[in-house]
Amino acid sequence: MSEHLGLQYRYADPEGPLDSSSSPLLDLDKLLGQLQSLPLDWLKQLQNLALECSDDAILGLLDSLTLRQSDLAKALGEWAKEFRFDRILALIETYDEQQQQG
């Protein structure tokens, strides 16, 4: 089809959703540490909003974060603006896995 229509295909990057090379904002350990200080209901709300792909609602939710969570707010805000809800969900999933192990 590309030959007949002169199309060029662009493929997604093979990197995972939390690959640090794709985001200068990402220090996974720091973000996970900042998630620990948040109430469980806040995390559930963030997860639900990410599942709904609700970027504006996520940005509103981030207003409730304190200066201690500024790195987390910055990363989540960038991901919401870029519609990278997969990264938000992957971060929450990683956090949940760590909580179950620890």
Side-chain angles (χ1 to χ4, degrees), residues 4-21:
H4 297 290
L5 298 176
L7 300 175
Q8 290 183 337
Y9 294 102
R10 290 181 52 200
Y11 296 95
D13 292 332
E15 303 158 350
L18 288 177
D19 182 7
S20 61
S21 66

Side-chain angles (χ1 to χ4, degrees), residues 34 46 55 80 102:
Q34 291 180 8
L46 176 64
D55 57 324

Side-chain angles (χ1 to χ4, degrees), residues 42-96:
W42 193 95
L43 290 173
K44 288 295 180 191
Q45 187 176 1
L46 176 64
Q47 184 176 32
N48 289 335
L49 293 173
L51 288 169
E52 295 170 2
C53 300
S54 184
D55 57 324
D56 290 333
I58 289 173
L59 294 173
L61 182 65
L62 297 179
D63 289 340
S64 67
L65 294 180
T66 67
L67 289 176
R68 290 191 338 233
Q69 294 113 358
S70 63
D71 293 328
L72 179 63
K74 187 175 181 179
L76 293 173
E78 287 299 315
W79 291 340
K81 289 175 190 172
E82 295 170 0
F83 305 105
R84 293 305 310 259
F85 305 108
D86 60 325
R87 288 187 178 180
I88 296 172
L89 293 169
L91 180 65
I92 294 170
E93 183 178 324
T94 301
Y95 172 78
D96 287 342

